[in-house]
Amino acid sequence: MHAVISAPHLRRSVADRLADLPAYEDRYWAIAAGTGVDRAWARRLLDVAVSWIGAGRADVVDPYALALSWLPR
């Protein structure tokens, strides 16, 4: 059985997530820079992650997490 989420609750939840996105993206760029990956390559990884998720080729739905998983440690 699926839980029913009220429209106001869903709007608030989405608004909260959207408010967090700039900081989340900033963390991605900081981590990428910290590994020595240049910004162009990090952008390409992010683009590929979005493509993979869109095509159903990934087990995650977060392109930042997927792209981070490809960065050197």
Side-chain angles (χ1 to χ4, degrees), residues 5-28:
I5 300 172
S6 69
H9 179 74
L10 182 58
R11 278 193 295 275
R12 182 77 235 146
S13 180
V14 170
D16 289 346
R17 294 287 296 179
L18 288 173
D20 291 341
L21 284 178
Y24 193 66
E25 184 170 2
D26 289 345
R27 284 191 300 274
Y28 171 76

Side-chain angles (χ1 to χ4, degrees), residues 2 4-5 8 16-17 19 21 31 33 37-38 45 48 51 57 63-64 73:
H2 295 284
V4 176
I5 300 172
D16 289 346
R17 294 287 296 179
L21 284 178
I31 293 168
V37 171
D38 71 31
L45 289 176
V48 171
S51 294
R57 294 182 62 195
Y64 295 104
R73 305 244 179 237

Side-chain angles (χ1 to χ4, degrees), residues 19-66:
D20 291 341
L21 284 178
Y24 193 66
E25 184 170 2
D26 289 345
R27 284 191 300 274
Y28 171 76
W29 294 117
I31 293 168
T35 65
V37 171
D38 71 31
R39 198 168 178 91
W41 186 249
R43 168 60 66 194
R44 178 68 182 128
L45 289 176
L46 194 53
D47 289 344
V48 171
V50 169
S51 294
W52 276 35
I53 291 167
R57 294 182 62 195
D59 293 332
V60 298
V61 295
D62 179 346
Y64 295 104
L66 184 56

